[in-house]
Amino acid sequence: GGGGGERPAVRSIPEADALFAEAEDFRGRMVPRYANLKEALERYQRLLLLHPESDKVDDAAYWIGPIYESRYLTHHQKAIDHYRRCVTWNPDTTTDARYRIAYILDYSLHDPAAAMEAYREVLEHAPAGELRDTAERRLQALERQHADAAGGE
C-alpha cells in the first residue's frame, strides 16, 4: 500500500465521536465484562475502519490495546499493533502506549531484545515521572542480564 506513515488530516466527525462515546460506555461497564469489552472493541474498530480521518483514531487504537491485553481476549501481538498505531497517529500521545508495548514484549512475549528497544523508546518520549523511572530501571536490569549472558563467567 502507500507509505501509511503520514497522518491523515484529523478533524472531529460526529459519527466517529458517537462511536467513541458508545465504546467508552461499554468499556466502563463491568458486568458482563466479556460481552461489554466485545461491544467496545467492535465500536473502536468500526471507528478506525470508517473514520480514519477522525481526531479520535489514536485514542481508539490505544483503548483497543487493553482489551486485547485482558484475560477475556488475550492477543498480545494485536495489543502491540494497536498501541503502535496510537503512537504513529499521535507521536505526542500522553498515553502510556509506548510503555505498554515494552511491557508486553518484556513480560508477556519474553523478547528481551525487542523489549530493550521499546524501553529506550519510552525514555526518548516519556516525561519525568513514575513511568519513566520504571522503564529506566527495567531497561538497566535487562541490559545487565544481556551483558551477563553475553559475557559468560
Side-chain angles (χ1 to χ4, degrees):
E6 63 284 344
R7 196 168 164 214
V10 291
R11 58 196 172 88
S12 177
I13 298 168
E15 295 88 343
D17 295 348
L19 277 171
F20 190 79
E22 278 180 36
E24 293 288 276
D25 184 48
F26 277 110
R27 186 170 57 81
R29 290 186 208 170
M30 296 314 287
V31 182
R33 190 68 181 138
Y34 176 71
N36 286 324
L37 286 176
K38 291 269 288 197
E39 292 289 342
L41 178 63
E42 204 256 313
R43 282 161 179 79
Y44 288 132
Q45 288 174 325
R46 202 181 325 158
L47 190 162
L48 297 184
L49 193 67
L50 300 178
H51 306 290
E53 68 286 12
S54 162
D55 59 6
K56 300 281 188 303
V57 291
D58 56 322
D59 290 326
Y62 174 83
W63 284 113
I64 287 172
I67 294 175
Y68 278 129
E69 281 190 80
S70 75
R71 61 193 169 95
Y72 302 95
L73 284 154
T74 311
H75 196 309
H76 295 114
Q77 193 52 55
K78 281 185 180 175
I80 288 175
D81 292 345
H82 283 86
Y83 288 133
R84 285 199 171 126
R85 289 169 86 177
C86 170
V87 169
T88 298
W89 288 331
N90 182 3
D92 302 321
T93 180
T94 56
T95 68
D96 63 349
R98 289 183 179 90
Y99 180 80
R100 297 303 319 153
I101 293 167
Y103 185 92
I104 296 168
L105 288 167
D106 190 357
Y107 293 101
S108 299
L109 299 180
H110 309 289
D111 184 342
M116 286 192 287
E117 199 176 309
Y119 282 125
R120 287 187 193 106
E121 179 102 348
V122 173
L123 297 181
E124 253 175 67
H125 294 90
E130 196 179 331
L131 196 73
R132 189 190 174 84
D133 296 345
T134 305
E136 198 160 18
R137 275 195 305 275
R138 187 59 189 149
L139 176 59
Q140 287 166 352
L142 286 171
E143 285 173 340
R144 274 196 304 276
Q145 287 169 18
H146 194 72
D148 292 347
E153 284 305 297

